[in-house]
Amino acid sequence: MAGHPRQLTGRGAAGAALALLPLLFLGVAFFWPLWDVLRLGLQIDGRWTGERLQAALSDPYVRRLILFTLEQAALSALLSLGLGFPLGWFLTRYRFPGRRLLRAFTIVPFVLPSITVALGFVLFFGRSGHLNRFLMALFGLGEPPIRVLYTLWAVVLAHAFYNAPVVARFVNAAWERADPTPVEAARTLGARPLRAFLTVTLPLLVPAVLSALALVFVLCTLSFSIPLALGGARYATVEVGVYLYTRGVVASFPRAAALAILTLGLSLVLTYLHLWGGGMFSARQGGVRLGSTVPLFTREKPRRALWLLYLLPAAVVFLGPIGAVIADSFLHPAPGGASPTLHWYRMIASPAWNPFIESSPLAAVRTSLLVGGGATALSLVLGLSVSAVLRRVRSRVLETVLMAPLAVSSVVLGLALLLAFRRPPLSALRGGWAIVLAHTLIVYPFVVRAIRPLWDALDPALSEAARTLGASPFATFRTVTLPLLGSGVLAAGAFAFALSLGEMTAVAMLSGPGAMTMPMAIYHFLGSRDFGAASAMATVLMVTTALAAWAWDRAGSRWLKRDGALAVSRPTAENQAVPGDA
C-alpha cells in the first residue's frame, strides 16, 4: 500500500530495486571521487598509513588554520546571537507597517551569494568605503575611523550578517509557538515584564537559541568565500587551506587531501553533534495558543522608542553592504569619469573577452544560468527519486547513505570531483559538467528536505484509487502524485536554483577556461579592484537570487497554509482511511 512504512524485506524488493538508481548515481558521482581523496590522503606507495595526516597536524600552519577556524566560528555564533535575538524578539512582539516585508527580508541574507556580501563589506566598511567617508565628512576626521577590513572581525561581522537572520528565524518561530499562558499567569501574580521574560519566556526559548547557535557554528566552521575574500591567507580557515593547497601557488594534492580528510572528520563530528543537539534542544515546543502582538510606537509606551538604538545600527550592518553594491554599480565612474552611468551593466552584457576573468562577462552570466538550470533539473530528479525510495524503504542506513553529501563540505566535494574528472569515465565530460554535478550533489539534499514532508502528508487513498482504476505506477505518479506535489517541487526548484547561482566554493576548485560562473567572475573582478564591473554583476546576481528566494518563500508559505488546512481536516480523513495508511 502506497505511503505505508515498510521494512527492507521481500515486500520491499521493489523499493530496493528503485533505490539502485540514486545509489548508482551517487556511487559514480560522489562515493568514488570521495574514495580518491581518502586514498590520496591515506595511501603512500600502495600502503595505508596515517603519515600524511600526522605530517599535516604537526605543521604549525595547519594547526593555526584549525584553531582560527574554531575561534572565528565561536565568535561569529555569539555575534549572530547578539544581532539575531533582538530581531526575533522584535518580529514576534510588535506589529508595525512593513512587518511581513521585514520578516521576508530576513531570508535574503541566508540565500545571498557570499561573494556579493564580501564585495559589499569591501565597498561599505573599507578604508575608502561609504561608511568611512560619511563619518569623516560628518565629524571632520582626517583618517578613516573604521579599520575592520581584512581582520578577524571582518570575517566575524560578515558571518553575523549571514547568520543573525537565521537566529532571528529560530527565535521568532519558537516564540510564536510558545504558549503565552505561563507568562500571563506570571503577570497576574505580580511579576513585572522583565521578570516574566527572564523567568518564564527566556527558559522556553533556550532550546531554540542553542539549536540556532549550533547550526550557525557548523555553518561558520565550513565557511569558505567570506574568509577567502575578507581574510586572505593570514585569516584563512581549514576550507580555504584545502583550496590553497589545491589551486594556490604551492599546490600539493597529497597535503590538500590530508587536510580535506581532517575537514571531513570535523564536519561529520559537528553535523552529528548538531543533529543530536537539535533533537535534544527541540524537546519542548507545541503551544496551542498564539501570543498577541502590540503596536510598536504609541504615546502610552514611549520607552519602545529605545528599539531605535538597535534598529539603526542593525540597518547599517544589514542594509549598508547591499546598498553599497547596488549604488556602486551605478555611481562608480566609468572610463572617462562619467557618473552615474550604465556603463558597467553594458560591460557585463558584452561578449568581449576580459583578461581578469579569462572569459567574457556575458559568457559567465550564461554559464551560471546554464549550470543553475542543469543542477536544478538534476537535483529535482534525484531529490524525487530519493524521496520515493525513502518512502518505500524505511532504513536509517539507507537514508544516511542517500543523504551523505549533506555532511561533506563543498570544498572537499570540489577536490573529489577535480580528481575524478581527470580519469575515465568522468574525464569524457567537458566544460561545466563538473560544476553541474557538484551543484547537484550540494543542493539535492535540500530538495529532499522540501519534498519529502509534503509527500508524506498526501492522502494515499488518491494514488490507490488511480492504481485500482488500472493506472501504472508511473502514470499514477505523473497524473496524481506530481500535481499534488507541485507547489513543493516549485519551491524546491527555486531554492535549488538560488543556491546554485550563488555557490562559489566548489566552483573555485573546478572552474577553468570556459567554465567561469558569475560568483567567480565577481571574485576575480574584486581581486583586480574592478569594482564597477563587480558591483554590476553582483547586483544582477542578487536580484536573480532574491527573486528565486521570494518564489521559494511564497510557495513554501502556501504549502504551509495548505498543510495546516489538511491538518485541521485530517481527523475526518483518517476516519475514512483504510488501516495502515501513513
Side-chain angles (χ1 to χ4, degrees), residues 266-322:
L266 184 63
S267 65
L268 289 174
V269 170
L270 291 176
T271 303
Y272 172 77
L273 290 177
H274 169 63
L275 294 176
W276 172 77
M280 181 182 70
F281 297 150
S282 61
R284 293 182 300 172
Q285 293 295 340
V288 296
R289 185 165 63 90
L290 295 179
S292 59
T293 57
V294 296
L296 177 57
F297 297 119
T298 62
R299 292 181 179 178
E300 293 76 16
K301 298 289 184 180
R303 286 183 302 175
R304 289 176 188 167
L306 293 176
W307 272 102
L308 292 175
L309 298 177
Y310 164 78
L311 294 174
L312 292 178
V316 170
V317 171
F318 289 116
L319 299 180
I322 298 176

Side-chain angles (χ1 to χ4, degrees), residues 6-20 389 392-393 398:
R6 295 177 177 175
Q7 302 298 322
L8 189 56
T9 63
R11 295 181 62 195
L18 184 64
L20 289 178
V389 169
R392 294 181 66 91
V393 185
L398 182 62

Side-chain angles (χ1 to χ4, degrees), residues 98-476:
R99 180 171 176 265
R100 293 184 60 183
L101 180 64
L102 178 61
R103 190 177 185 280
F105 181 79
T106 59
I107 201 173
V108 173
F110 189 63
V111 296
L112 210 56
S114 52
I115 190 62
T116 64
V117 176
L119 173 64
F121 268 64
V122 171
L123 294 174
F124 191 69
F125 291 108
R127 289 176 61 87
S128 303
H130 295 272
L131 184 58
N132 270 324
R133 280 185 285 164
F134 173 76
L135 293 176
M136 290 169 67
L138 183 64
F139 298 107
L141 302 175
E143 292 290 331
I146 298 176
R147 302 183 182 185
V148 71
L149 214 57
Y150 306 118
T151 67
L152 163 66
W153 293 106
V155 176
V156 171
L157 191 59
H159 282 161
F161 171 92
Y162 260 108
N163 296 302
V166 177
V167 176
R169 284 243 165 183
F170 270 69
V171 171
N172 176 236
W175 206 330
E176 284 186 340
R177 291 201 305 268
D179 189 350
T181 304
V183 177
E184 294 168 355
R187 295 298 308 280
T188 304
L189 294 174
R192 299 181 67 82
L194 179 61
R195 184 176 178 83
F197 171 77
L198 294 176
T199 58
V200 180
T201 305
L202 191 58
L204 291 174
L205 299 180
V206 165
V209 170
L210 293 179
S211 184
L213 276 177
L215 177 60
V216 172
F217 185 82
V218 173
L219 293 175
C220 294
T221 301
L222 303 179
S223 175
F224 173 79
S225 302
I226 294 295
L228 178 68
L230 297 179
R234 183 178 180 186
Y235 296 102
T237 60
V238 178
E239 298 278 300
V240 176
V242 175
Y243 168 74
L244 294 177
Y245 279 120
T246 304
R247 304 293 297 264
V249 178
V250 188
S252 170
F253 276 8
R255 174 56 62 91
L259 203 53
I261 292 172
L262 294 176
T263 303
L264 184 61
L266 184 63
S267 65
L268 289 174
V269 170
L270 291 176
T271 303
Y272 172 77
L273 290 177
H274 169 63
L275 294 176
W276 172 77
M280 181 182 70
F281 297 150
S282 61
R284 293 182 300 172
Q285 293 295 340
V288 296
R289 185 165 63 90
L290 295 179
S292 59
T293 57
V294 296
L296 177 57
F297 297 119
T298 62
R299 292 181 179 178
E300 293 76 16
K301 298 289 184 180
R303 286 183 302 175
R304 289 176 188 167
L306 293 176
W307 272 102
L308 292 175
L309 298 177
Y310 164 78
L311 294 174
L312 292 178
V316 170
V317 171
F318 289 116
L319 299 180
I322 298 176
V325 171
I326 297 173
D328 206 64
S329 68
F330 296 103
L331 299 179
H332 193 83
S339 175
T341 176
L342 294 176
H343 169 80
W344 304 111
Y345 287 96
R346 287 193 292 269
M347 178 185 171
I348 65 170
S350 167
W353 188 80
N354 188 298
F356 295 129
I357 61 175
E358 298 181 344
S359 176
S360 73
L362 184 61
V365 175
R366 186 167 54 239
T367 301
S368 275
L369 295 177
L370 289 174
V371 166
T376 300
L378 283 176
S379 63
L380 285 177
V381 172
L382 187 59
L384 283 167
S385 302
V386 170
S387 299
V389 169
L390 295 180
R391 276 176 47 79
R392 294 181 66 91
V393 185
R394 301 297 174 102
S395 165
R396 286 190 175 276
V397 174
L398 182 62
E399 183 173 359
T400 302
V401 172
L402 290 174
M403 300 293 281
L406 195 62
V408 177
S409 72
S410 299
V411 74
V412 175
L413 184 60
L415 175 62
L417 290 176
L418 182 67
L419 297 173
F421 269 74
R422 293 186 168 196
R423 56 166 173 70
L426 295 181
S427 59
L429 300 175
R430 301 291 182 184
W433 278 105
I435 301 175
V436 172
L437 208 53
H439 284 190
T440 301
L441 293 170
I442 290 170
V443 302
Y444 91 84
F446 297 99
V447 172
V448 175
R449 290 286 180 92
I451 291 177
R452 192 179 168 195
L454 179 60
W455 203 337
D456 285 342
L458 293 183
D459 186 352
L462 300 173
S463 57
E464 290 169 2
R467 294 297 308 279
T468 303
L469 295 173
S472 65
F474 179 73
T476 302

